[in-house]
Each structure stands twice: as C-alpha cells, then as structure tokens.
Amino acid sequence: MIEGRIIKNISNFYTVDTGKEKIVCEARGKFRKEKQIPLVGDHCKIDPEKKWIMEILPRKNELSRPSIANVDFAIIVTSMKKPDFGSFLLDKQITLVTLNHITPIIYFTKLDLLDKEEMIAYQNIKTIYQKIGYQVIEKGNYQKLEEILKGKIAVVTGQTGAGKSTLLNELNPALSLKTSPISNALNRGVHTTRHTEIYEIKEGYIADTPGFSSLDIKGYLKEEIKEAFIEFQNYSCRFKDCWHDKEKDCEIKKAVEQGLISKSRYDSYLKMLKEG
C-alpha cells in the first residue's frame, strides 16, 4: 500500500495524489458499513493495483458542507454588492469555520460596484473585522493569498455568486472554472460547481466547493458559540456562566454600549445563541 491525499471526488470516484502520480480509486465496502465517507483532503492508504482506498488516516478537522477534511484556512469570499453584504451571514460563516478549528480569511469582492457612501460603509466594516484580529484581503491581492497558502490547504467558501470560482480562475487561469451571472430577482448567483476538488495553487492547495444557501448552527453547544466570538475573550464577566444576554453587569454588554465591541457582531451572537 502507498499513501496519498484525496484531491477530487466525483460520484464516489476519488482521485488520490501520491506525490508521484494521481490515481482514481474507489472506496472499499467496509467504509460504507462503518459509515465512514472519504473526503477530499483526506490522507489515505491505497492499493495502487486494485485502485482501492484501503484506509483513511486520522483527520485534524472536517467540514460537512462543503465536504472537505484537513483544512488549514477557510477563505470566506464575501460580496459587498450583488449579492449584497450581510453581516450575520459572514459572522455565521466565521463562527462555523472557527468551531471546526479552521482559521478564517475574509476575502471581500465587488468593491468596484460601490459608490462613495457605500465605500465608506465598507471601510467601517473592514475595520471591525481587522480590529478583532481576522485576516482581511481585498479582491486582487493574490500575492498575499499565495504567501499564506504555501504548504497549506484552504477551502474557498461563501455566499453563492460572491466570486468563488472567479477567485480560483484568477489564482490559476488554467483551471477555467465555469462562472454564471447574478440573478437580479434572487440577488444571488446560479451555482456552477458540481463536485469537490483540490487544486494546486503555487505551493499550496485550494478547494472549489459547492456553495450553500443556508448554514446550520444547530448541534453546537451555546458555550462553543460564545467561545467562537474571539473578541469576547478580552473581557471577564463577574459570573463565568454569563451568556452576555439578559444578565446584569455584563462586561460584554458594557463593551458593546461603549463601542468597544461591534453591535452587529453582538447581534449576530445573540441570534446564533437562539439558533444553537
């Protein structure tokens, strides 16, 4: 047996990169019995002659939607216009990747569509996330992305129509991934990605994955959601079990009132707390 990494999955046929060659394999029946599904990004052992995946090696993390494992970064492609920016959607994406032990990178697009007032609003939004400590990159700064991705694997995710496939095409024009126009009626793009695949970009890997229209925070503990808002960690409430909601003398609520914590982020937290 030899080891490799799954870089592509189409209809349960898995392309495995061994470092020397790429072999299309099928998963052994035992995985179905054990209810274990191989994911793009998995390190695995294969039988190169029978072209079977024999064993899935331990994962450091995984996402269920998009389905990918062993991710270092999640590049959250976020449109400011067409589709319009929504702070709750971005905060929910950040929270979910953080809960999966993946470092989020916010990649803003469609800035050229903004007028002067909208650009001022955008600058304020960008500042909120930079002050928290998140990596923020604007469309066109591909060199910075390539430097970050050296030796790493990243997933590209975000709202449909925000420019995920466009980003991949710009990082590697040879990919020629299909893109679609935005539907004005629905304020979202027509999704064009039909499978999950990792692409080699410079010295790293990046994945184009099926987009999603809904994100489910259910299944996570309220404590986990609270901890995912990393700016809250700079404050210590009187009671350790404070949910920063209706409690009196809450340091987080005070920080929001003083403008030290973004109200939009706090509102997103409360909304997710109710969903969890």
Side-chain angles (χ1 to χ4, degrees):
M1 291 193 294
I2 58 176
E3 291 189 14
R5 185 201 293 266
I6 299 173
I7 62 170
K8 186 177 182 179
N9 170 25
I10 300 180
S11 301
N12 296 323
F13 286 92
Y14 303 90
T15 302
V16 179
D17 186 352
T18 68
K20 295 182 178 180
E21 61 180 327
K22 295 178 176 64
I23 303 173
V24 178
C25 301
E26 292 184 79
R28 289 192 65 189
K30 71 169 188 175
F31 294 116
R32 192 179 300 109
K33 293 179 182 178
E34 296 172 358
K35 296 182 179 180
Q36 184 180 20
I37 301 174
L39 298 176
V40 167
D42 270 333
H43 295 282
C44 61
K45 291 183 180 181
I46 67 170
D47 183 327
E49 294 183 0
K50 295 182 178 179
K51 297 182 178 180
W52 282 350
I53 295 175
M54 307 296 291
E55 181 181 350
I56 302 296
L57 301 180
R59 297 167 180 158
K60 70 176 184 180
N61 58 42
E62 66 179 89
L63 290 174
S64 59
R65 195 174 185 187
S67 298
I68 190 167
N70 300 315
V71 179
D72 297 294
F73 296 103
I75 303 171
I76 304 173
V77 181
T78 304
S79 170
M80 289 304 300
K81 199 167 187 177
K82 295 185 179 180
D84 297 337
F85 173 77
S87 59
F88 179 64
L89 176 61
L90 175 57
D91 290 336
K92 202 168 187 182
Q93 291 167 333
I94 290 171
T95 301
L96 282 171
V97 298
T98 300
L99 288 168
N100 283 277
H101 310 291
I102 299 169
T103 301
I105 297 173
I106 305 168
Y107 184 83
F108 284 114
T109 64
K110 313 289 184 75
L111 303 183
D112 56 314
L113 300 181
L114 303 181
D115 59 30
K116 289 184 179 179
E117 289 186 3
E118 291 169 333
M119 182 56 75
I120 292 172
Y122 160 70
Q123 293 296 340
N124 291 332
I125 291 167
K126 181 174 75 169
T127 299
I128 287 171
Y129 293 96
Q130 286 177 323
K131 283 185 175 180
I132 293 170
Y134 293 118
Q135 185 94 253
V136 176
I137 300 176
E138 295 178 347
K139 182 181 178 182
N141 198 350
Y142 310 122
Q143 184 176 353
K144 188 174 182 180
L145 268 180
E146 290 169 356
E147 290 173 358
I148 294 171
L149 296 181
K150 283 183 179 179
K152 305 293 183 180
I153 177 171
V155 59
V156 177
T157 189
Q159 187 177 8
T160 302
K164 297 186 295 294
S165 294
T166 298
L167 170 61
L168 286 162
N169 285 336
E170 289 167 334
L171 286 171
N172 187 342
L175 296 176
S176 299
L177 297 173
K178 185 180 178 183
T179 59
S180 291
I182 299 297
S183 166
N184 290 326
L186 298 176
N187 191 37
R188 61 180 172 83
V190 180
H191 183 59
T192 56
T193 310
R194 300 304 179 191
H195 62 278
T196 302
E197 182 171 359
I198 292 176
Y199 300 97
E200 294 179 54
I201 303 292
K202 296 293 182 179
E203 298 176 41
Y205 283 102
I206 198 166
D208 184 25
T209 53
F212 47 82
S213 58
S214 63
L215 294 164
D216 194 357
I217 206 77
K218 292 179 181 178
Y220 290 102
L221 300 174
K222 290 183 177 181
E223 184 68 31
E224 292 175 311
I225 296 171
K226 182 170 66 172
E227 290 179 358
F229 279 75
I230 59 176
E231 64 266 48
F232 292 0
Q233 297 171 15
N234 297 322
Y235 302 88
S236 180
C237 291
R238 198 168 82 177
F239 302 105
K240 290 184 179 180
D241 60 350
C242 182
W243 293 110
H244 319 314
D245 185 4
K246 298 176 182 179
E247 297 88 347
K248 293 181 180 180
D249 299 322
C250 171
E251 293 300 319
I252 299 300
K253 289 165 68 175
K254 289 179 183 178
V256 174
E257 291 171 2
Q258 295 168 5
L260 300 174
I261 290 178
S262 162
K263 189 176 185 305
S264 65
R265 286 275 296 170
Y266 177 68
D267 289 343
S268 292
Y269 162 73
L270 292 180
K271 194 171 180 179
M272 275 183 257
L273 208 62
K274 292 177 181 178
E275 288 186 9

